Amino acid sequence: MSTRDPHTGATDGDRSAAAQARGASSPHREDGSHTGKRESARVRIFDTTLRDGEQSPGISLNRQEKLEIAHQLARLGVDVIEAGFPITSPGDFESVQAIAREVEGPVICGLARTSKQDIDAAWQAVKDSERPRIHTFIATSDIHIERKLQTTREDVKGQVRAAVAQAREHTDDVEFSPEDGSRSDVPYMAEVIQIALEEGATTINVPDTVGYTMPGEYRAMFEELYRLVPGLRDVTVSVHCHNDLGLAVANSLAGLEAGCRQVECAVNGIGERAGNASLEEIVMLLRTREPSLGLWTGIDTTEIARTSRLVSRLTGYQVQPNKAIVGRNAFAHEAGIHQDGVLKERTTYEIMDATTVGLRSNSIVLGKHSGRHALNKALQEMGFELDGQALNTAFKRFKEIADRKKHVTAMDLEALVTDELREEVPGYTLESFEAEASSLRPPHARVSVTLPDGSSASGSFTGDGPIDAVFQAINVATGIAPVLSDFTIGAVTEGQDALGEVSVVLEVGGFTGAGQGVSTDIIDAAARAYVRALSVAVARSQASDAIGLPETAT
């Protein structure tokens, strides 16, 4: 007979299965460093980068990009991957399904409203996973019930009962969220949660959907829910906090202190509006202050920096320099007194070692004489599995870069491989460009672009600078004049021969699209990023196969 953990809701069988499924994904499990730690003190990390994170304006990941992020999340050691919202479009359904079929280790979760169609779609998308979960939600705050849903409290109760029961017909792993929980009437929300538990929900997530609550309020809410619904101590209780007032991590910690044992978060804190609780901040908070908090996670923290870079490159959302844990200044010291202290003893001004999050690790170095085998071996060491045409394409790009750059490092290879993943975005493709710049006359550019129908088009124009001239020439060639919303340039590594990385966000007909480009030539990188962003924005504006984006703000 299996026993159930009073805090997590996990049975002995669940933990055994999880250990077998996740054993190879985290070095913590392999070296036994978690031996002796209380399972009731373990915090599950529920990653919603691919669902809530992708709802950020301008982000549009293709299937291959989502798969690459999901595989990296598995290497990171997250417990649950919320892979998407399958009902929203055929593309999202296919991406979730691919992740469920190919990514091993974490629970693969699909989001669904309380409608039968949503839940069936979520199940069809995740059912091939070795550990599938359906996450269903409905709002419980009066403002949402009356204004958005235009229904009654009693109707919401009925929808919850039917939805959770239907989800349990598909799988034993069902999560329920009362959307806008932090602004809901607690006694009423307790009644709704009780119904979800009666129908078999195994995880209850109470979100701060609009980032309004404060830590003391959030903690008190959970304490009252535990009092009103004793059955919550037999399941996993989860937090999901948004960062509108900059309190997402603090509120998440307050929930954990109240007894919750799952945190829903996103890499780099991306998400709706001001974003979600930042995964890396939650994880390193629990690791750094473990002696005080007594809580721990199964995350391999040495994969944090790499995960952050991957998500940043594929989404086009740059990490601010002073971002905690993963910002480039997070472990930098400018003041002389700080530098002196760190040189004498690192812990005088650093509460974490940069190597514990995977920074300052750049040991792989290749050059123009390195062959295909050396490249493939280096990529495998970094966790990339490429073969066939994908390896050929990566090798071609590697040789192009190696001819211009003396040494190609691990971070360069990351940028190149993730750049190649974007090639599958349908639409416009840059064939060639010429740019002329001078202080005596306006910069001028000529471009050739492959159109969505396969034909070629060319254009030329002037601009304020060579990059602007290239952008204007692309507009002439495509016949589209998008609004440039954001343009960012960065360097992948240090030095004059560093790879340049450009991110562009465009708006076409009210729809945004983000694109990124990588090259030693910053104009080339900018042109690549521009046509990719244009392809995404145009595809979104012309999409006719989407069922419609449901309201989702949990």
Side-chain angles (χ1 to χ4, degrees), residues 144-153 155-156 159:
H144 276 239
I145 292 173
E146 296 168 7
R147 300 299 179 87
K148 185 184 77 173
L149 300 177
Q150 297 184 347
T151 187
T152 65
R153 286 185 169 190
D155 180 62
V156 167
Q159 289 192 48

Side-chain angles (χ1 to χ4, degrees), residues 71-88:
H71 280 297
Q72 178 57 29
L73 291 172
R75 285 190 286 267
L76 179 64
V78 303
D79 297 282
V80 184
I81 296 175
E82 190 167 47
F85 200 163
I87 196 67
T88 57

Side-chain angles (χ1 to χ4, degrees), residues 186-209:
V186 176
Y188 168 68
M189 182 167 60
E191 294 176 20
V192 174
I193 290 172
Q194 181 62 47
I195 290 171
L197 293 178
E198 289 171 359
E199 296 303 323
T202 51
T203 299
I204 299 294
N205 171 60
V206 186
D208 179 28
T209 298

Side-chain angles (χ1 to χ4, degrees), residues 42 84 86 129 160 178 183 191 204 231 250 254 298 363 381 535 537 552:
R42 180 183 170 190
S129 169
V160 171
R183 294 195 298 172
E191 294 176 20
I204 299 294
S363 58
E381 289 178 6
S535 297
T552 164

Side-chain angles (χ1 to χ4, degrees), residues 21 164 531:
V164 176
V531 294

